[in-house]
Amino acid sequence: MRIPLDIHCGTPVYRQIETWLRENIASGSLPPETRLPSTRELAVDLGVSRITVKNAYAELEGDGLIYTRAGSGTFIAPPLDNGQLAGSRAKTDWPLWQLDATGESGPPIEMSWPFPAPADTIAFIGVGDPREFPIKDFERTVREVFARDGISALEYGGLHAGYYPLRETIARVLSSQGISARPDEVLVTTGSQQALALVCQTLLKPGDVIVVEKPTYNFALELFRSLKLKIVGIPMDKQGMRVDELEPVLQQHHPKMIYTMPVFQNPSGLCLSAPRRRQLLDLARRYNIPILEDDFASDLRYEGKALPAIKSLDDGGNVIYTGTFSKMLMPGLRIGYLLADGPVFDRLVRQKWVQDLATSNLMQHVLDTYVTVGRYQSHLRRSTRLYRKRRDALLAAIRRYLPPDVAYTIPHGGLFLWLHLPEGMPCLDLLPRALQAGVEFSPGTRYFPEPDEGNVYIRLNFATHTPEEIDEGIRRLGQVMARYRDPTGRKMTII
Ligand code: PMP
């Protein structure tokens, strides 16, 4: 272990060791249960006396940050509550520019709880199920790419809008879904999250108004907040965004962009009806406002007929469309794309260059080799079968274990079910209890522009778990709800 020491600085050496370890424990660089070197080993490593190291360890042990297990060694202790960790570096210790960076925020990035979640926690969060990923096929494809393209796949791949064959493939896949796309209108991005960021950074400036559905995708909200945009939410009903409420907002707030997810919206699972798609496009044209259409999962349809994408209704230049391979394959690939026509395309490409030069060239080569229209469609059929079963398992478990006064709309596709909780059961109260009981959900508050909204909702992802796991997870959630309602456990029994 290398700990930087300065014997001339006036701070005792044992304190320097202690402070360094404290800071690294607090930052997570030394996670719980990491084994520390013995005092003898560390003394030799650092060229100090053993008693110096012992003093440093004694201070940390006194504060409960490390512990010694007889015969095994010294370890980092499980997390303490935030107050104790923060004690290692009080807020006022930060340089002033760091303090300037505090403030401005949305909901906490990570909620922390003063207890470890059980190891068998069933988390209704995330995207797909990595256990279902065709690893063998993919491995074969990686080998094929190296054999065919050699090391060229390891270079940046040039400053352009992405690996051209992949852009052609994406254009073909989109065309097979009724969205006519030319490869030179496709920009490959590092996930569609980057596509959203590129569009906003290119077209908007701080203070501009962006219109969103209410609720909407939480990391789009994070993006808009980070760009200091003003967010105006339009409520939704079963037909998707209440487009009839949009025009007054356009007149009053003069927004610079409309962000929408017309299919299997995240988090509501709802779809924008066909007439509303046309009305939305019509308003956008009349008021000269770009539509940012986020199509993250429209392929995953379990029943019903697909409606035309807003992009496919556009006669040119009004809609920027984003898509991703994250839901179809896996999010760790980090490949998404946007489709845009008109002068804005070049500006988006330049913005992409300054952000990250290029999306992983290797992964673009691999994905292009892996994804053919045929394989894409067969993958789709398989995922659709699998996730439909899981959606149905979730619906059955909700009916079986949750109180009858929960409310939800059955999602006809996508990954999420948006659940309205019973009266007087706020999701932020429920979440720590659920975590303790080994079940996790995404609290509704994350999906609203205002932090005090959404406490009556939770979002459940049904794609990441098997039907058996879903059943068990919802059984646990049902017990948590029953106990919340009646802590004595007398009035309501959950079988
Ligand atoms: N849009 C929506 C609606 C999403 O839910 C997500 C991710 N969950 C994204 C965009 C970004 O996905 P990715 O960057 O993995 O393509």
Side-chain angles (χ1 to χ4, degrees), residues 29-79:
S29 310
L30 289 172
E33 304 307 335
T34 306
R35 188 177 180 282
L36 288 175
S38 69
T39 51
R40 190 191 308 274
E41 284 162 351
L42 191 55
V44 172
D45 275 3
L46 300 179
V48 300
S49 74
R50 196 169 164 204
I51 191 78
T52 302
V53 179
K54 275 190 169 169
N55 285 341
Y57 278 18
E59 293 287 328
L60 296 169
E61 197 155 12
D63 284 351
L65 292 173
I66 63 174
Y67 69 96
T68 305
R69 208 183 294 143
S72 320
T74 303
F75 298 84
I76 308 295

Coordinates of all heavy atoms in Angstrom, one line a residue, residues 29-79:
S29 N -12.8 4.2 -2.0 CA -11.7 3.5 -2.6 C -11.2 2.3 -1.8 O -10.7 1.4 -2.4 CB -10.5 4.5 -2.7 OG -10.8 5.7 -3.2
L30 N -11.5 2.3 -0.5 CA -11.2 1.1 0.3 C -12.6 0.6 0.8 O -13.1 1.1 1.8 CB -10.3 1.5 1.5 CG -8.8 1.8 1.1 CD1 -8.1 2.3 2.4 CD2 -8.1 0.6 0.6
P31 N -13.2 -0.2 0.0 CA -14.5 -0.6 0.4 C -14.6 -1.6 1.6 O -13.5 -2.1 2.0 CB -15.0 -1.4 -0.9 CG -13.9 -1.6 -1.7 CD -12.7 -0.8 -1.2
P32 N -15.8 -1.7 2.2 CA -15.9 -2.6 3.4 C -15.3 -4.0 3.1 O -15.4 -4.5 2.0 CB -17.4 -2.7 3.6 CG -17.9 -1.4 3.0 CD -17.0 -1.0 1.9
E33 N -14.7 -4.5 4.1 CA -14.1 -5.9 4.1 C -12.8 -5.9 3.3 O -12.3 -7.0 3.1 CB -15.1 -6.9 3.6 CG -16.5 -7.0 4.3 CD -16.3 -7.2 5.8 OE1 -15.3 -7.7 6.3 OE2 -17.3 -6.7 6.6
T34 N -12.3 -4.8 2.9 CA -10.9 -4.9 2.3 C -10.0 -5.2 3.4 O -10.0 -4.6 4.5 CB -10.6 -3.5 1.7 OG1 -11.6 -3.1 0.8 CG2 -9.2 -3.5 1.0
R35 N -9.0 -6.1 3.1 CA -8.1 -6.4 4.1 C -6.9 -5.4 4.1 O -6.4 -5.2 3.0 CB -7.5 -7.9 3.9 CG -6.7 -8.4 4.9 CD -6.3 -9.9 4.6 NE -5.4 -10.4 5.6 CZ -4.1 -10.1 5.7 NH1 -3.5 -9.3 4.9 NH2 -3.4 -10.7 6.7
L36 N -6.6 -4.9 5.2 CA -5.4 -3.9 5.3 C -4.2 -4.7 5.5 O -4.2 -5.8 6.1 CB -5.6 -2.9 6.4 CG -6.7 -1.9 6.2 CD1 -6.9 -1.0 7.5 CD2 -6.4 -1.0 5.0
P37 N -3.0 -4.2 5.1 CA -1.7 -4.9 5.4 C -1.6 -5.0 6.9 O -2.1 -4.1 7.7 CB -0.7 -4.0 4.8 CG -1.3 -2.8 4.2 CD -2.8 -2.9 4.4
S38 N -0.8 -5.9 7.4 CA -0.5 -6.0 8.8 C 0.3 -4.8 9.2 O 0.9 -4.1 8.3 CB 0.2 -7.3 9.2 OG 1.5 -7.2 8.6
T39 N 0.4 -4.5 10.5 CA 1.1 -3.3 10.9 C 2.6 -3.5 10.5 O 3.3 -2.5 10.1 CB 1.0 -3.1 12.4 OG1 1.3 -4.3 13.1 CG2 -0.4 -2.6 12.8
R40 N 3.1 -4.7 10.6 CA 4.5 -5.0 10.3 C 4.7 -4.7 8.8 O 5.6 -4.0 8.4 CB 4.8 -6.5 10.6 CG 6.3 -6.8 10.5 CD 6.6 -8.3 10.6 NE 5.9 -8.9 11.7 CZ 6.5 -9.0 12.9 NH1 7.7 -8.4 13.1 NH2 5.8 -9.6 13.9
E41 N 3.8 -5.3 7.9 CA 4.0 -5.1 6.5 C 4.0 -3.6 6.1 O 4.8 -3.1 5.3 CB 2.8 -5.8 5.7 CG 3.0 -7.3 5.6 CD 1.6 -8.0 5.3 OE1 0.5 -7.3 5.3 OE2 1.6 -9.2 5.0
L42 N 3.0 -2.9 6.6 CA 2.8 -1.5 6.2 C 4.0 -0.7 6.7 O 4.5 0.2 6.0 CB 1.5 -0.9 6.8 CG 1.1 0.4 6.2 CD1 1.0 0.4 4.7 CD2 -0.2 0.9 6.8
A43 N 4.5 -1.0 7.9 CA 5.7 -0.3 8.4 C 6.9 -0.5 7.5 O 7.6 0.5 7.1 CB 6.0 -0.8 9.8
V44 N 7.0 -1.7 7.0 CA 8.1 -2.0 6.1 C 7.9 -1.2 4.8 O 8.8 -0.5 4.3 CB 8.3 -3.5 5.8 CG1 9.3 -3.8 4.7 CG2 8.7 -4.2 7.1
D45 N 6.7 -1.3 4.2 CA 6.3 -0.6 3.0 C 6.6 0.9 3.0 O 7.1 1.5 2.1 CB 4.8 -0.7 2.7 CG 4.5 -2.0 2.0 OD1 5.4 -2.8 1.8 OD2 3.3 -2.2 1.6
L46 N 6.3 1.5 4.2 CA 6.4 2.9 4.2 C 7.7 3.4 4.8 O 8.0 4.6 4.9 CB 5.2 3.5 5.1 CG 3.8 3.2 4.6 CD1 2.8 3.7 5.6 CD2 3.6 3.8 3.2
G47 N 8.5 2.5 5.3 CA 9.8 2.9 6.0 C 9.6 3.6 7.2 O 10.3 4.6 7.5
V48 N 8.6 3.2 8.0 CA 8.3 3.9 9.3 C 8.3 2.8 10.4 O 8.4 1.6 10.1 CB 7.0 4.6 9.4 CG1 6.9 5.7 8.3 CG2 5.8 3.7 9.2
S49 N 8.3 3.2 11.7 CA 8.3 2.2 12.7 C 6.9 1.5 12.8 O 5.9 2.1 12.5 CB 8.7 2.9 14.1 OG 7.6 3.6 14.5
R50 N 6.9 0.3 13.4 CA 5.7 -0.4 13.5 C 4.7 0.3 14.5 O 3.5 0.3 14.3 CB 6.0 -1.8 14.0 CG 4.9 -2.7 13.8 CD 5.2 -4.1 14.1 NE 4.1 -5.0 14.2 CZ 4.1 -6.1 14.9 NH1 5.2 -6.6 15.4 NH2 2.9 -6.8 15.0
I51 N 5.3 0.9 15.5 CA 4.4 1.6 16.5 C 3.6 2.8 15.8 O 2.5 3.1 16.1 CB 5.2 2.1 17.7 CG1 4.3 2.5 18.8 CG2 6.2 3.2 17.4 CD1 3.8 1.4 19.5
T52 N 4.3 3.4 14.8 CA 3.6 4.5 14.1 C 2.3 4.0 13.4 O 1.2 4.5 13.5 CB 4.6 5.1 13.0 OG1 5.7 5.6 13.7 CG2 3.9 6.2 12.2
V53 N 2.5 2.8 12.7 CA 1.3 2.3 12.0 C 0.3 1.8 13.1 O -0.9 2.0 12.9 CB 1.8 1.1 11.1 CG1 0.6 0.4 10.4 CG2 2.8 1.5 10.1
K54 N 0.8 1.2 14.1 CA -0.2 0.7 15.2 C -1.0 1.9 15.7 O -2.2 1.8 15.9 CB 0.6 0.1 16.3 CG 0.9 -1.3 16.1 CD 1.5 -1.9 17.4 CE 1.5 -3.4 17.3 NZ 2.3 -4.0 18.4
N55 N -0.4 3.1 15.9 CA -1.1 4.2 16.4 C -2.2 4.7 15.4 O -3.3 5.0 15.8 CB -0.1 5.4 16.7 CG 0.7 5.2 17.9 OD1 0.3 4.4 18.8 ND2 1.8 5.9 18.0
A56 N -1.8 4.7 14.1 CA -2.8 5.1 13.1 C -4.0 4.1 13.1 O -5.2 4.5 13.1 CB -2.1 5.1 11.7
Y57 N -3.7 2.8 13.2 CA -4.8 1.8 13.1 C -5.6 1.9 14.4 O -6.9 1.8 14.4 CB -4.2 0.4 13.1 CG -3.8 -0.1 11.7 CD1 -3.6 0.8 10.6 CD2 -3.6 -1.5 11.4 CE1 -3.3 0.4 9.4 CE2 -3.2 -1.9 10.1 CZ -3.1 -1.0 9.1 OH -2.7 -1.4 7.9
A58 N -5.0 2.2 15.5 CA -5.7 2.3 16.8 C -6.8 3.5 16.7 O -7.9 3.3 17.2 CB -4.8 2.6 18.0
E59 N -6.4 4.6 16.1 CA -7.3 5.7 16.0 C -8.5 5.3 15.1 O -9.6 5.6 15.4 CB -6.6 6.9 15.3 CG -5.5 7.6 16.1 CD -6.1 8.4 17.3 OE1 -7.2 8.9 17.1 OE2 -5.4 8.4 18.3
L60 N -8.2 4.6 14.0 CA -9.3 4.2 13.1 C -10.2 3.2 13.7 O -11.4 3.2 13.6 CB -8.7 3.7 11.8 CG -7.9 4.7 11.0 CD1 -7.2 4.0 9.8 CD2 -8.9 5.7 10.4
E61 N -9.6 2.3 14.5 CA -10.4 1.2 15.1 C -11.3 1.9 16.2 O -12.4 1.5 16.3 CB -9.4 0.2 15.8 CG -10.1 -1.1 16.1 CD -9.2 -2.3 16.1 OE1 -8.0 -2.1 16.1 OE2 -9.8 -3.4 16.1
G62 N -10.7 2.9 16.9 CA -11.5 3.6 17.9 C -12.7 4.2 17.4 O -13.8 4.3 18.0
D63 N -12.6 4.6 16.1 CA -13.8 5.3 15.5 C -14.7 4.3 14.7 O -15.6 4.6 14.0 CB -13.3 6.3 14.4 CG -12.8 7.6 15.2 OD1 -13.1 7.7 16.4 OD2 -12.3 8.5 14.5
G64 N -14.3 3.0 14.8 CA -15.2 2.0 14.2 C -15.0 1.9 12.7 O -15.8 1.3 12.0
L65 N -13.9 2.5 12.2 CA -13.7 2.4 10.7 C -13.0 1.2 10.2 O -13.2 0.8 9.1 CB -13.0 3.7 10.2 CG -13.7 5.0 10.4 CD1 -12.8 6.2 10.0 CD2 -14.9 5.0 9.5
I66 N -12.2 0.6 11.1 CA -11.6 -0.7 10.8 C -11.8 -1.7 12.0 O -12.1 -1.2 13.1 CB -10.1 -0.6 10.5 CG1 -9.3 -0.1 11.7 CG2 -9.9 0.4 9.3 CD1 -7.8 -0.1 11.5
Y67 N -11.6 -2.9 11.7 CA -11.7 -3.9 12.8 C -10.7 -5.0 12.6 O -10.3 -5.3 11.5 CB -13.1 -4.4 13.0 CG -13.6 -5.3 11.9 CD1 -13.5 -6.7 12.0 CD2 -14.1 -4.8 10.7 CE1 -13.8 -7.6 10.9 CE2 -14.4 -5.6 9.6 CZ -14.3 -7.0 9.8 OH -14.7 -7.8 8.7
T68 N -10.4 -5.7 13.7 CA -9.4 -6.8 13.6 C -10.1 -8.1 13.9 O -10.9 -8.2 14.9 CB -8.3 -6.6 14.7 OG1 -7.7 -5.3 14.4 CG2 -7.1 -7.6 14.5
R69 N -9.9 -9.0 13.0 CA -10.5 -10.4 13.2 C -9.3 -11.3 13.7 O -8.3 -11.4 12.9 CB -11.1 -10.9 11.9 CG -12.2 -11.8 12.2 CD -12.8 -12.3 10.9 NE -13.4 -11.3 10.0 CZ -13.4 -11.3 8.7 NH1 -12.7 -12.2 8.0 NH2 -14.0 -10.3 8.0
A70 N -9.4 -11.8 14.9 CA -8.3 -12.6 15.4 C -7.8 -13.7 14.4 O -8.6 -14.4 13.9 CB -8.6 -13.3 16.7
G71 N -6.6 -13.7 14.1 CA -6.0 -14.8 13.2 C -6.2 -14.4 11.7 O -5.6 -15.1 10.9
S72 N -7.0 -13.4 11.3 CA -7.2 -13.2 9.9 C -6.6 -11.8 9.5 O -6.2 -11.7 8.3 CB -8.7 -13.1 9.5 OG -9.4 -14.1 10.2
G73 N -6.6 -10.8 10.4 CA -6.0 -9.6 10.0 C -7.0 -8.4 10.3 O -7.9 -8.5 11.0
T74 N -6.6 -7.3 9.7 CA -7.4 -6.0 9.9 C -8.2 -5.7 8.7 O -7.7 -5.7 7.5 CB -6.4 -4.9 10.3 OG1 -5.7 -5.3 11.4 CG2 -7.2 -3.6 10.6
F75 N -9.4 -5.3 8.8 CA -10.4 -5.1 7.7 C -11.1 -3.7 7.8 O -11.2 -3.2 8.9 CB -11.4 -6.2 7.6 CG -10.8 -7.6 7.5 CD1 -10.3 -8.3 8.5 CD2 -10.7 -8.1 6.2 CE1 -9.8 -9.5 8.4 CE2 -10.2 -9.4 6.0 CZ -9.7 -10.1 7.1
I76 N -11.5 -3.2 6.7 CA -12.4 -2.1 6.7 C -13.8 -2.5 7.2 O -14.3 -3.5 6.7 CB -12.5 -1.5 5.2 CG1 -11.2 -1.2 4.6 CG2 -13.4 -0.2 5.3 CD1 -10.3 -0.2 5.2
A77 N -14.3 -1.7 8.1 CA -15.6 -2.1 8.7 C -16.7 -1.7 7.8 O -16.6 -0.9 6.9 CB -15.8 -1.3 10.0
P78 N -17.9 -2.4 7.9 CA -19.1 -2.0 7.1 C -19.4 -0.6 7.3 O -19.0 0.0 8.3 CB -20.2 -2.9 7.7 CG -19.5 -3.9 8.6 CD -18.2 -3.4 8.9
P79 N -20.1 0.1 6.4 CA -20.4 1.5 6.5 C -21.0 1.9 7.8 O -21.9 1.2 8.3 CB -21.3 1.8 5.3 CG -21.6 0.5 4.6 CD -20.8 -0.6 5.3

